[in-house]
């Protein structure tokens, strides 16, 4: 899958019943994140973290869905551990579905398998820690691929999504380590002549030896 490709529609069994992906993600941004297997320690911390961040994803109109190569019954049992680990009550509804990709067909189709991480149970490659951020028109907008042994930073995923949502609306880009509220950079395609109208909060050029004036900083357009 390349950035900008249309993410294929698919049907899957999940811990919340059968879904058709495009119908499920209709009119929302969505994030699919995959896991090596159920009842594994790093995965448990990751799914618990995403459960804790459910409100943060919802307020950005982002639906999240996990994928693991075990059965729905296994997911349902594992969710009890994840709830406990994240401090939820057993009776709380788990905030997002987990896809049961037991035959690995989706993991294979989406390039999520890690040939270097072999399951001790089956001798087959496990799923890597993939993240796909998909926009409301089903286009892939961001992807990450981590090995099984490295848990992801969901703060970073939220930060990257905030940048995506911002740069969708305004002709800005976000610099290294940017976070919401920090200054942004005017995109290189914007001519200097358009700056006063497009960036009424002002633009400041950073002096560098080339003198090319290409580093143009501006306050984040949609915060006061
Ligand atoms: C884990 O989730 O803890 C894990 C899974 C596969 C390999 C290593 C770690």
């Amino acid at each position: 899958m390349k950035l900008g490709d249309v993410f294929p529609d698919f049907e899957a069994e999940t811990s919340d019943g059968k879904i058709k992906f495009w119908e499920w993600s209709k009119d929302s941004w969505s994030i699919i994140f995959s896991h090596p297997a159920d009842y594994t320690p790093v995965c448990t911390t990751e799914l618990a973290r995403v459960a804790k961040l459910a409100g943060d994803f919802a307020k950005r109109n982002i639906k999240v869905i996990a994928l693991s190569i075990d059965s729905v019954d296994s997911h349902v049992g594992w969710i009890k551990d994840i709830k406990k680990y994240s401090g939820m009550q057993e009776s709380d509804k788990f905030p997002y579905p987990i896809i049961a990709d037991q035959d690995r067909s989706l993991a294979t189709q989406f390039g999520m398998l890690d040939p270097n991480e072999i399951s001790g149970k089956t001798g087959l490659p496990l799923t890597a820690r993939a993240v796909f951020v998909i926009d409301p028109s089903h286009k892939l907008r961001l992807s990450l691929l981590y090995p099984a042994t490295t848990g992801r930073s969901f703060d970073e995923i939220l930060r990257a999504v905030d940048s995506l949502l911002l740069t969708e609306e305004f002709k800005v880009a976000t610099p290294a380590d940017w976070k919401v509220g920090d200054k942004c950079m005017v995109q290189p395609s914007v001519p200097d002549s358009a700056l006063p109208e497009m960036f009424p909060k002002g633009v400041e050029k950073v002096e560098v030896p080339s003198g090319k004036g290409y580093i143009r900083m501006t306050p984040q357009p949609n915060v006061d």
Side-chain angles (χ1 to χ4, degrees), residues 18-93:
K18 202 176 193 126
I19 63 145
K20 287 186 175 160
F21 180 63
W22 282 13
E23 197 175 290
W24 175 83
S25 60
K26 194 170 171 300
D27 300 330
S28 287
W29 286 71
S30 55
I31 299 183
I32 303 181
F33 60 112
S34 63
H35 294 274
D38 292 4
Y39 297 105
T40 49
V42 176
C43 297
T44 303
T45 64
E46 289 192 322
L47 274 90
R49 178 77 178 126
V50 175
K52 278 193 180 153
L53 291 173
D56 296 271
F57 286 110
K59 76 177 180 221
R60 291 165 171 83
N61 188 30
I62 300 169
K63 297 182 87 173
V64 290
I65 189 162
L67 178 148
S68 179
I69 51 182
D70 290 293
S71 65
V72 167
D73 282 352
S74 168
H75 291 349
V76 170
W78 184 34
I79 281 172
K80 292 184 190 151
D81 290 5
I82 301 165
K83 281 186 186 171
K84 172 81 180 164
Y85 192 86
S86 71
M88 294 169 72
Q89 300 298 313
E90 210 180 323
S91 57
D92 290 342
K93 174 159 171 43

Side-chain angles (χ1 to χ4, degrees), residues 34-192:
S34 63
H35 294 274
D38 292 4
Y39 297 105
T40 49
V42 176
C43 297
T44 303
T45 64
E46 289 192 322
L47 274 90
R49 178 77 178 126
V50 175
K52 278 193 180 153
L53 291 173
D56 296 271
F57 286 110
K59 76 177 180 221
R60 291 165 171 83
N61 188 30
I62 300 169
K63 297 182 87 173
V64 290
I65 189 162
L67 178 148
S68 179
I69 51 182
D70 290 293
S71 65
V72 167
D73 282 352
S74 168
H75 291 349
V76 170
W78 184 34
I79 281 172
K80 292 184 190 151
D81 290 5
I82 301 165
K83 281 186 186 171
K84 172 81 180 164
Y85 192 86
S86 71
M88 294 169 72
Q89 300 298 313
E90 210 180 323
S91 57
D92 290 342
K93 174 159 171 43
F94 195 65
Y96 59 88
I98 308 176
I99 295 170
D101 187 32
Q102 254 186 304
D103 67 359
R104 295 153 192 260
S105 55
L106 296 176
T108 306
Q109 183 183 357
F110 303 145
M112 292 166 161
L113 292 175
D114 179 354
N116 293 317
E117 201 64 58
I118 304 297
S119 159
K121 260 196 302 190
T122 63
L124 293 169
L126 289 170
T127 343
R129 300 184 192 282
V131 179
F132 295 126
V133 180
I134 299 157
D135 73 16
S137 63
H138 314 301
K139 289 211 177 95
L140 177 66
R141 301 295 299 276
L142 182 148
S143 70
L144 292 171
L145 193 57
Y146 279 40
T149 40
T150 303
R152 290 157 284 196
S153 161
F154 288 90
D155 289 332
E156 166 57 13
I157 290 165
L158 273 179
R159 188 197 74 88
V161 161
D162 282 334
S163 170
L164 274 177
L165 296 175
L166 175 70
T167 58
E168 185 79 352
E169 205 182 333
F170 301 96
K171 283 270 184 203
V172 292
T174 59
D177 299 328
W178 172 87
K179 43 191 189 338
V180 170
D182 287 353
K183 281 191 175 168
C184 303
M185 311 179 100
V186 177
Q187 288 187 15
S189 60
V190 178
D192 277 353

